[in-house]
Structure formats: C-alpha cells, structure tokens
Amino acid sequence: MAKLKTNSGAKKRLTLTGSGKIKRKHAYHSHILTKKTKKQKRNLDHFALVQKADMRRVNELLVL
C-alpha cells in the first residue's frame, strides 16, 4: 500500500508542540482590522491549541 500524503495546507498552518499537542492560529486576524477593537486584535494574536474534538480530523490531515 502506498504511503499517505500529508495535506499541504494543514502542514503550513499547524505546528506540533513538544508535548504532542497541535498549535494553530486564530481566525479573523488577517484583514478588515480597522473595525475590530485593540483588545480583540490582541487576543487573536496569540496561538491556540486544537481542541480534543478536532484532533482526529487534524491528525488525518497531518498523517500522524
């Protein structure tokens, strides 16, 4: 059987932490920033972890 390919879009957007969790960026922080408050933009700037409910789907994209 052939090897499974990693989804190239997921490869660019997600990173693995040392403890095996998956880091992601927040949405809504790329454009139309003038109408968003400083607090909202500041909170979107941090990285977030992929939720437990989504881990199986993300692992299939990253072929972990």
Side-chain angles (χ1 to χ4, degrees), residues 3-39:
K3 290 183 179 180
L4 292 173
K5 287 189 176 183
T6 300
N7 181 286
S8 60
K11 178 173 56 177
K12 294 167 193 169
R13 288 171 172 80
L14 305 166
T15 54
L16 210 60
T17 64
S19 59
K21 295 175 183 171
I22 300 172
K23 234 174 17 173
R24 66 172 179 84
K25 280 184 71 173
H26 282 281
Y28 307 110
H29 192 61
S30 57
H31 58 93
I32 315 177
L33 298 173
T34 51
K35 61 176 77 172
K36 294 174 183 137
T37 62
K38 285 181 185 179
K39 182 179 179 180

